Amino acid sequence: MYRSVCLLLLAWVVAMLVFPGVPARSGDSFSKDNITVRQGGSAVLRCSVDSKVSRVAWLNRTTILFAGEEKWSLDPRVILLDTVQTEYSIKIENVDLQDEGPYVCSILSDKLPKSTKVHLIVQVPAKIVNISTDITVNEGSNVTLMCLAIGRPDASIIWKHRSSSGVPTSRFITEGEYVEITAITKEQSGVYECMSTNYVSAPDVKIVRVTVNYPPVISRARNSLIGVGQRGMLQCEASAVPLADFEWYKEDRKLLNGPNGVKIENKGKQSMLSFFNVSEEDYGNYTCVAMNTMGITNASIILYGPGMHDMIDINSAVSHLPSYLLLMTLVTAYFLKF
């Protein structure tokens, strides 16, 4: 008998849901409510009743979840809450997308049906599902970065750039799934941060590292004053990606490590030419050559002694360039290694 009444209630609710044009009878009551819950959370669907209620049931679309205190649903996540007599509520645990949709609390009171319709909305936190891999390109290339995200409501995406120059701050670049960089420069290398959010939970953040290859640029090459018999050093510093290889020349003669009381030591982007005991023969013009697969450059450094100030411009960092023949020989020999 009870199941027959519930089936009649179900038929009435289905008619209201499927055929919205069917007019409600005089005395029928149909209220609506929306509940929003995050995926994985719990949703409580509430229904108010009174002492005149003779039959009550919860339905999801065309499926009876509970009829009175009898559970019809096979889903263990759906439970009937033990609440006060004026409330007939259910709880859905670990909510997922398939739980979204209309729920109806159908009540038979004094032989007149009334219902409460609850529409459950499931929100999904933004999640990045595809992003460009780390890349290495040559300066002047065109670069496209991609970042795809899902979520409900739809996720928005912003890009930030954190330069490889050591500055810790991030700079806003653009919004949207793609970043287009035309003729990339070395200043545009570094970390590109994709941040996706729909305000359901904390933003999802992933990064792409962009390495830009560029030819050496010598940033430090100063003339040096060293007295006879003293120890001394000439320094040459070059920024480059990949790191530069260094060679030292005096006039057009390549210097080797060890002989004639000199030592060549390369550390990262620095090269140091050390003298253990400076002699008159050591004075003169030295050329620091920096090279990588992207190109080659050089700077001239003068080693001089006391009393030689008037002979040179001590502030000059490029007072002599190697001969054209020497430069061409260096370029050819370096690239033949690859």
Side-chain angles (χ1 to χ4, degrees):
M1 176 63 181
Y2 189 77
R3 283 183 176 265
S4 299
V5 173
C6 288
L7 290 173
L8 290 174
L9 285 173
L10 174 59
W12 175 79
V13 172
V14 169
M16 294 295 294
L17 291 175
V18 179
F19 307 106
V22 176
R25 300 195 311 266
S26 177
D28 288 355
S29 175
F30 202 100
S31 60
K32 298 181 180 180
D33 194 11
N34 288 340
I35 292 180
T36 301
V37 64
R38 192 173 75 178
Q39 185 182 38
S42 296
V44 176
L45 311 184
R46 302 185 184 279
C47 181
S48 298
V49 296
D50 55 38
S51 58
K52 299 179 181 180
V53 171
S54 57
R55 297 287 185 270
V56 63
W58 269 105
L59 304 95
N60 176 16
R61 300 180 180 90
T62 58
T63 303
I64 299 177
L65 303 177
F66 276 91
E69 295 184 358
E70 184 180 354
K71 183 175 182 179
W72 286 33
S73 171
L74 300 178
D75 192 338
R77 301 175 303 128
V78 182
I79 59 175
L80 183 66
L81 295 179
D82 185 14
T83 55
V84 296
Q85 292 183 351
T86 56
E87 187 175 306
Y88 181 68
S89 302
I90 61 172
K91 181 179 182 181
I92 306 173
E93 298 176 331
N94 193 24
V95 171
D96 210 342
L97 287 175
Q98 66 265 21
D99 299 316
E100 185 170 277
Y103 291 77
V104 175
C105 174
S106 183
I107 303 167
L108 188 62
S109 176
D110 292 338
K111 298 183 180 180
L112 292 176
K114 64 178 182 178
S115 295
T116 298
K117 181 180 178 182
V118 178
H119 193 90
L120 180 61
I121 301 170
V122 180
Q123 292 185 330
V124 181
K127 181 181 179 181
I128 296 172
V129 294
N130 195 4
I131 190 169
S132 297
T133 57
D134 296 347
I135 58 171
T136 299
V137 297
N138 293 338
E139 192 172 34
S141 301
N142 296 332
V143 175
T144 300
L145 303 181
M146 174 197 67
C147 182
L148 304 180
I150 59 173
R152 296 180 67 184
D154 291 340
S156 62
I157 291 175
I158 64 170
W159 287 89
K160 292 183 179 181
H161 175 225
R162 193 163 65 243
S163 173
S164 58
S165 62
V167 180
T169 56
S170 297
R171 182 172 62 90
F172 171 79
I173 299 296
T174 188
E175 296 182 3
E177 297 176 339
Y178 295 93
V179 174
E180 302 282 351
I181 306 173
T182 303
I184 194 169
T185 65
K186 59 180 179 292
E187 290 78 19
Q188 292 173 300
S189 65
V191 172
Y192 285 78
E193 179 182 277
C194 171
M195 183 172 70
S196 174
T197 182
N198 58 2
Y199 304 101
V200 175
S201 64
D204 190 21
V205 179
K206 294 187 184 297
I207 63 171
V208 181
R209 288 181 173 86
V210 177
T211 302
V212 178
N213 293 329
Y214 62 93
V217 177
I218 293 179
S219 55
R220 181 179 180 183
R222 291 187 177 275
N223 299 327
S224 185
L225 168 64
I226 305 172
V228 172
Q230 297 181 350
R231 296 172 65 92
M233 178 186 296
L234 300 180
Q235 289 184 302
C236 181
E237 184 174 304
S239 299
V241 177
L243 284 173
D245 294 324
F246 292 93
E247 290 181 355
W248 287 88
Y249 291 80
K250 185 177 183 186
E251 305 305 336
D252 287 346
R253 178 173 57 87
K254 182 178 179 180
L255 299 179
L256 300 177
N257 199 7
N260 304 319
V262 296
K263 178 183 178 182
I264 299 173
E265 187 176 9
N266 298 327
K267 289 184 178 179
K269 61 181 183 178
Q270 286 190 337
S271 182
M272 292 155 285
L273 177 63
S274 299
F275 301 86
F276 302 119
N277 186 5
V278 173
S279 65
E280 291 282 352
E281 290 76 19
D282 291 325
Y283 292 139
N285 185 80
Y286 291 82
T287 301
C288 168
V289 179
M291 64 195 87
N292 67 4
T293 54
M294 296 295 295
I296 184 170
T297 190
N298 65 82
S300 182
I301 307 173
I302 297 177
L303 176 65
Y304 64 99
M308 301 174 65
H309 297 74
D310 296 336
M311 300 173 59
I312 61 169
D313 178 5
I314 62 174
N315 295 316
S316 173
V318 184
S319 55
H320 176 271
L321 295 178
S323 67
Y324 175 78
L325 179 60
L326 172 59
L327 190 58
M328 290 303 298
T329 302
L330 287 172
V331 172
T332 303
Y334 184 77
F335 285 99
L336 280 176
K337 295 191 299 183
F338 300 93

